[in-house]
PDB file of all heavy atoms in Angstrom:
ATOM      1  N   PHE A 874      13.186 -78.040  50.833  1.00 86.00           N
ATOM      2  CA  PHE A 874      12.372 -78.038  49.609  1.00 86.00           C
ATOM      3  C   PHE A 874      11.064 -77.293  49.853  1.00 86.00           C
ATOM      4  O   PHE A 874      10.467 -77.368  50.932  1.00 86.00           O
ATOM      5  CB  PHE A 874      12.066 -79.481  49.176  1.00 86.00           C
ATOM      6  CG  PHE A 874      13.238 -80.197  48.589  1.00 86.00           C
ATOM      7  CD1 PHE A 874      14.000 -81.056  49.369  1.00 86.00           C
ATOM      8  CD2 PHE A 874      13.576 -80.025  47.250  1.00 86.00           C
ATOM      9  CE1 PHE A 874      15.078 -81.722  48.822  1.00 86.00           C
ATOM     10  CE2 PHE A 874      14.653 -80.692  46.706  1.00 86.00           C
ATOM     11  CZ  PHE A 874      15.424 -81.539  47.489  1.00 86.00           C
ATOM     12  N   GLN A 875      10.594 -76.636  48.817  1.00 87.00           N
ATOM     13  CA  GLN A 875       9.274 -76.002  48.825  1.00 87.00           C
ATOM     14  C   GLN A 875       8.582 -76.377  47.513  1.00 87.00           C
ATOM     15  O   GLN A 875       8.968 -75.908  46.438  1.00 87.00           O
ATOM     16  CB  GLN A 875       9.389 -74.472  48.952  1.00 87.00           C
ATOM     17  CG  GLN A 875       9.873 -74.015  50.321  1.00 87.00           C
ATOM     18  CD  GLN A 875      10.033 -72.505  50.385  1.00 87.00           C
ATOM     19  OE1 GLN A 875      10.427 -71.901  49.416  1.00 87.00           O
ATOM     20  NE2 GLN A 875       9.729 -71.933  51.533  1.00 87.00           N
ATOM     21  N   GLU A 876       7.569 -77.275  47.611  1.00 85.00           N
ATOM     22  CA  GLU A 876       6.857 -77.758  46.436  1.00 85.00           C
ATOM     23  C   GLU A 876       5.684 -76.836  46.119  1.00 85.00           C
ATOM     24  O   GLU A 876       4.967 -76.364  47.010  1.00 85.00           O
ATOM     25  CB  GLU A 876       6.349 -79.174  46.687  1.00 85.00           C
ATOM     26  CG  GLU A 876       7.431 -80.190  46.974  1.00 85.00           C
ATOM     27  CD  GLU A 876       8.256 -80.508  45.740  1.00 85.00           C
ATOM     28  OE1 GLU A 876       7.790 -80.169  44.629  1.00 85.00           O
ATOM     29  OE2 GLU A 876       9.353 -81.076  45.886  1.00 85.00           O
ATOM     30  N   ASP A 877       5.513 -76.545  44.823  1.00 85.00           N
ATOM     31  CA  ASP A 877       4.380 -75.755  44.351  1.00 85.00           C
ATOM     32  C   ASP A 877       3.654 -76.585  43.300  1.00 85.00           C
ATOM     33  O   ASP A 877       3.960 -76.499  42.096  1.00 85.00           O
ATOM     34  CB  ASP A 877       4.873 -74.435  43.756  1.00 85.00           C
ATOM     35  CG  ASP A 877       3.720 -73.499  43.410  1.00 85.00           C
ATOM     36  OD1 ASP A 877       2.554 -73.925  43.514  1.00 85.00           O
ATOM     37  OD2 ASP A 877       4.003 -72.325  43.038  1.00 85.00           O
ATOM     38  N   PRO A 878       2.693 -77.467  43.742  1.00 84.00           N
ATOM     39  CA  PRO A 878       2.020 -78.356  42.786  1.00 84.00           C
ATOM     40  C   PRO A 878       1.265 -77.600  41.704  1.00 84.00           C
ATOM     41  O   PRO A 878       1.164 -78.069  40.563  1.00 84.00           O
ATOM     42  CB  PRO A 878       1.068 -79.166  43.680  1.00 84.00           C
ATOM     43  CG  PRO A 878       1.625 -79.041  45.053  1.00 84.00           C
ATOM     44  CD  PRO A 878       2.253 -77.691  45.117  1.00 84.00           C
ATOM     45  N   ALA A 879       0.734 -76.427  42.040  1.00 86.00           N
ATOM     46  CA  ALA A 879      -0.055 -75.690  41.047  1.00 86.00           C
ATOM     47  C   ALA A 879       0.808 -75.303  39.854  1.00 86.00           C
ATOM     48  O   ALA A 879       0.358 -75.309  38.711  1.00 86.00           O
ATOM     49  CB  ALA A 879      -0.673 -74.451  41.693  1.00 86.00           C
ATOM     50  N   ARG A 880       2.049 -74.975  40.099  1.00 85.00           N
ATOM     51  CA  ARG A 880       2.947 -74.585  39.022  1.00 85.00           C
ATOM     52  C   ARG A 880       3.893 -75.724  38.638  1.00 85.00           C
ATOM     53  O   ARG A 880       4.747 -75.523  37.772  1.00 85.00           O
ATOM     54  CB  ARG A 880       3.770 -73.372  39.445  1.00 85.00           C
ATOM     55  CG  ARG A 880       2.933 -72.128  39.735  1.00 85.00           C
ATOM     56  CD  ARG A 880       3.841 -70.967  40.122  1.00 85.00           C
ATOM     57  NE  ARG A 880       3.073 -69.769  40.420  1.00 85.00           N
ATOM     58  CZ  ARG A 880       3.612 -68.613  40.794  1.00 85.00           C
ATOM     59  NH1 ARG A 880       4.939 -68.540  40.923  1.00 85.00           N
ATOM     60  NH2 ARG A 880       2.840 -67.577  41.049  1.00 85.00           N
ATOM     61  N   ASN A 881       3.761 -76.850  39.319  1.00 84.00           N
ATOM     62  CA  ASN A 881       4.665 -77.979  39.082  1.00 84.00           C
ATOM     63  C   ASN A 881       6.107 -77.508  39.222  1.00 84.00           C
ATOM     64  O   ASN A 881       6.944 -77.695  38.341  1.00 84.00           O
ATOM     65  CB  ASN A 881       4.428 -78.591  37.694  1.00 84.00           C
ATOM     66  CG  ASN A 881       5.142 -79.931  37.545  1.00 84.00           C
ATOM     67  OD1 ASN A 881       5.422 -80.617  38.545  1.00 84.00           O
ATOM     68  ND2 ASN A 881       5.442 -80.306  36.305  1.00 84.00           N
ATOM     69  N   GLN A 882       6.399 -76.857  40.351  1.00 87.00           N
ATOM     70  CA  GLN A 882       7.694 -76.200  40.553  1.00 87.00           C
ATOM     71  C   GLN A 882       8.227 -76.576  41.923  1.00 87.00           C
ATOM     72  O   GLN A 882       7.492 -76.674  42.895  1.00 87.00           O
ATOM     73  CB  GLN A 882       7.519 -74.678  40.457  1.00 87.00           C
ATOM     74  CG  GLN A 882       8.782 -73.879  40.660  1.00 87.00           C
ATOM     75  CD  GLN A 882       8.522 -72.386  40.448  1.00 87.00           C
ATOM     76  OE1 GLN A 882       7.897 -72.002  39.466  1.00 87.00           O
ATOM     77  NE2 GLN A 882       8.972 -71.588  41.386  1.00 87.00           N
ATOM     78  N   THR A 883       9.568 -76.790  41.973  1.00 88.00           N
ATOM     79  CA  THR A 883      10.242 -77.099  43.228  1.00 88.00           C
ATOM     80  C   THR A 883      11.315 -76.049  43.473  1.00 88.00           C
ATOM     81  O   THR A 883      12.182 -75.824  42.617  1.00 88.00           O
ATOM     82  CB  THR A 883      10.881 -78.493  43.186  1.00 88.00           C
ATOM     83  OG1 THR A 883       9.866 -79.478  42.963  1.00 88.00           O
ATOM     84  CG2 THR A 883      11.596 -78.791  44.500  1.00 88.00           C
ATOM     85  N   ASN A 884      11.251 -75.343  44.635  1.00 90.00           N
ATOM     86  CA  ASN A 884      12.255 -74.365  45.034  1.00 90.00           C
ATOM     87  C   ASN A 884      13.079 -74.943  46.170  1.00 90.00           C
ATOM     88  O   ASN A 884      12.571 -75.633  47.048  1.00 90.00           O
ATOM     89  CB  ASN A 884      11.596 -73.061  45.489  1.00 90.00           C
ATOM     90  CG  ASN A 884      10.863 -72.368  44.353  1.00 90.00           C
ATOM     91  OD1 ASN A 884      11.359 -72.341  43.227  1.00 90.00           O
ATOM     92  ND2 ASN A 884       9.692 -71.829  44.631  1.00 90.00           N
ATOM     93  N   ARG A 927      18.406 -69.082  47.639  1.00 93.00           N
ATOM     94  CA  ARG A 927      17.256 -69.813  47.093  1.00 93.00           C
ATOM     95  C   ARG A 927      17.375 -69.910  45.577  1.00 93.00           C
ATOM     96  O   ARG A 927      17.772 -68.945  44.921  1.00 93.00           O
ATOM     97  CB  ARG A 927      15.964 -69.095  47.476  1.00 93.00           C
ATOM     98  CG  ARG A 927      14.705 -69.829  47.019  1.00 93.00           C
ATOM     99  CD  ARG A 927      13.472 -69.060  47.480  1.00 93.00           C
ATOM    100  NE  ARG A 927      12.258 -69.729  47.072  1.00 93.00           N
ATOM    101  CZ  ARG A 927      11.027 -69.264  47.308  1.00 93.00           C
ATOM    102  NH1 ARG A 927      10.886 -68.124  47.964  1.00 93.00           N
ATOM    103  NH2 ARG A 927       9.974 -69.934  46.902  1.00 93.00           N
ATOM    104  N   GLU A 929      15.564 -72.384  41.942  1.00 90.00           N
ATOM    105  CA  GLU A 929      14.552 -73.332  41.452  1.00 90.00           C
ATOM    106  C   GLU A 929      15.258 -74.604  40.964  1.00 90.00           C
ATOM    107  O   GLU A 929      16.219 -74.525  40.188  1.00 90.00           O
ATOM    108  CB  GLU A 929      13.737 -72.718  40.326  1.00 90.00           C
ATOM    109  CG  GLU A 929      12.653 -73.652  39.796  1.00 90.00           C
ATOM    110  CD  GLU A 929      11.884 -73.054  38.630  1.00 90.00           C
ATOM    111  OE1 GLU A 929      12.150 -71.861  38.281  1.00 90.00           O
ATOM    112  OE2 GLU A 929      11.039 -73.762  38.062  1.00 90.00           O
ATOM    113  N   ARG A 958      14.593 -84.089  42.637  1.00 75.00           N
ATOM    114  CA  ARG A 958      13.418 -83.232  42.548  1.00 75.00           C
ATOM    115  C   ARG A 958      12.228 -83.829  43.263  1.00 75.00           C
ATOM    116  O   ARG A 958      11.460 -83.114  43.896  1.00 75.00           O
ATOM    117  CB  ARG A 958      13.083 -82.982  41.079  1.00 75.00           C
ATOM    118  CG  ARG A 958      11.942 -81.987  40.928  1.00 75.00           C
ATOM    119  CD  ARG A 958      11.691 -81.617  39.493  1.00 75.00           C
ATOM    120  NE  ARG A 958      10.628 -80.639  39.400  1.00 75.00           N
ATOM    121  CZ  ARG A 958      10.104 -80.205  38.272  1.00 75.00           C
ATOM    122  NH1 ARG A 958      10.584 -80.696  37.117  1.00 75.00           N
ATOM    123  NH2 ARG A 958       9.134 -79.312  38.264  1.00 75.00           N
ATOM    124  N   HIS A 959      12.028 -85.156  43.176  1.00 63.00           N
ATOM    125  CA  HIS A 959      10.890 -85.804  43.823  1.00 63.00           C
ATOM    126  C   HIS A 959      11.412 -86.839  44.793  1.00 63.00           C
ATOM    127  O   HIS A 959      11.548 -88.004  44.448  1.00 63.00           O
ATOM    128  CB  HIS A 959       9.969 -86.459  42.781  1.00 63.00           C
ATOM    129  CG  HIS A 959       9.365 -85.467  41.831  1.00 63.00           C
ATOM    130  ND1 HIS A 959       8.439 -84.563  42.227  1.00 63.00           N
ATOM    131  CD2 HIS A 959       9.590 -85.280  40.497  1.00 63.00           C
ATOM    132  CE1 HIS A 959       8.081 -83.822  41.165  1.00 63.00           C
ATOM    133  NE2 HIS A 959       8.773 -84.257  40.095  1.00 63.00           N
ATOM    134  N   GLN A 972       9.319 -80.581  55.866  1.00 44.00           N
ATOM    135  CA  GLN A 972      10.365 -80.301  54.891  1.00 44.00           C
ATOM    136  C   GLN A 972      11.541 -81.219  55.191  1.00 44.00           C
ATOM    137  O   GLN A 972      11.960 -81.334  56.342  1.00 44.00           O
ATOM    138  CB  GLN A 972      10.811 -78.838  54.979  1.00 44.00           C
ATOM    139  CG  GLN A 972       9.737 -77.826  54.648  1.00 44.00           C
ATOM    140  CD  GLN A 972       9.361 -77.862  53.172  1.00 44.00           C
ATOM    141  OE1 GLN A 972      10.143 -78.289  52.329  1.00 44.00           O
ATOM    142  NE2 GLN A 972       8.147 -77.445  52.873  1.00 44.00           N
TER     143      GLN A 972
END
Side-chain angles (χ1 to χ4, degrees):
F874 287 98
Q875 290 177 324
E876 300 289 344
D877 187 353
R880 298 181 181 179
N881 192 24
Q882 179 176 313
T883 300
N884 295 320
R927 183 178 180 182
E929 181 183 356
R958 185 174 182 186
H959 298 291
Q972 297 291 336

